[in-house]
Amino acid sequence: TMIYVPRDSAALAVGADRVAQRIAQEASARQLDIRLVRNGSRGLFWLEPLVEVATPEGRIAYGPVTPDDVADLFEAGFLCGAPHRLRQGLTEQIPYLKSQQRLTFARMGVTDPTSLTDYVAHQGFSGLRAALAMAPSEIVQQVLDAGLRGRGGAAFPTGTKWKTVLDVEAPQKYIVCNADEGDSGTFSDRMTMEGDPFMLIEGMMIAGIATGATKGYIYVRSEYPHAIGTLNEAIHVAELVGLLGDDIVGSGRRFSLEVRKGAGSYVCGEETALLESLEGRRGIVRAKPPLPAIQGLFGRPTVINNVITFASVPLILARGAAFYRDFGVGRSHGTLPFQLAGNIKHGGLVERAFGLTLRELLYDYGGGSASGRPIKTVQVGGPLGAYVPESQWDVPLDYEAYAAVGATVGHGGLVVHDETADLSRLARYAMEFCAIESCGKCTPCRIGSTRGVEVIDKIRADHNRSEQVILLRDLCDTMVNGSLCAMGSMTPYPVLSALNHFPQDFGLPDTRPA
Ligand code: SF4
């Protein structure tokens, strides 16, 4: 019997290793023949550790399983899918999972992450195969036609970036993956690296073939030791079978890959600071131009994309641009793995096409707050994202619709707060975060964030409150318009959304229309 126990960090954090150990001990004590597979997570975090058993009807899920439940599960006959209080039924039929549109995350939790056989058995490398039969410009055209935009948060058209790199003549070009996933409440990059690393490798290889780059780097934040370990293991496997190296599966093309560990700086998620860090310097933002696509890593043309951007590419090549483009709304094509975190009952990963609403995510998937109190607001798009009030929870989640209400979809992270949240405190936190993480290159961000903390403190203490509010708005205006990168120019998003939508938390009268 095959038993699956996830090796994803989220499952490990709640004891998956101990559960796996107990299952092995119990099976051996009962002289039962089992095969224990350490899969990725399905992304249903409130059920982790989620143990699955393969039965003739399909995989049956049990969760959340503690080590102390294991003997009882064996006693109940869970190896045959027998009833038990932790039994969740067929995994694929759990509504949270069944109603998703898993394109990028189709294999997530299904396969053994570092098994190449598993990967190939589940459509792995069909995108690469298709790419190897195409001219570089045809591959770029597919990515352009698919309408794929950068999933790191900036939503810049991926194909346009690739085309720029393809069109520049240079003796060396690079592919860089931004895996410095530092946004609060986000984990889709981590899940991909830990749960389906070959998909990222395949996406980066396709990018290399499309642009003429032969060397790739994956810049992973130091807080992700398991992702780093799994990636290195997968790269090693790919090298052994000749997928990576001097002659990709006998095609005469060359591509090698290396993992680099960050050092814990939020701003290194900004692409030019990341390149500085990769080159061995302090992670300070570079002024643009020149664009990294023209003069990037070591001054060479460089494609730099987020994990999910690269991970979306194999499917586009395998199924065709039109297939991918048909998902989504407006100019937001395809799907986004939304990540539910914070004060939410059913935290986890929900991959859906653009266009669903926050309300659907919060209640149909999330099941409301974890505390049971009414939800007050959701910070969408990381620490630089706006606090979205209930009046905007029916706005379709797409890049343009969100921009129109002064918010941002970003990397798809949602941090939920219930009615006990104090938005003036959260606004102060946004300024404080900026002061701590600022790279210091430009004044509005370096000095403005510290002044911002002081001004919000004065507002909270009712020290010339109305004057200070004017000052705060003026400061935010300077930061938005005068900062060199998103760190300084977007910190006002959480601050102003808090001030505008929750004035009473700042001791101000509520003047919003009823
Ligand atoms: Fe550095 Fe902040 Fe200026 Fe960005 S906005 S370049 S993080 S000082």
Side-chain angles (χ1 to χ4, degrees), residues 267 285 437-442 445-446 483-489:
V267 87
V285 174
E437 296 292 343
S438 169
C439 84
K441 181 145 178 165
C442 61
C445 168
R446 185 184 68 244
S483 300
L484 189 56
C485 84
M487 179 86 233
S489 68

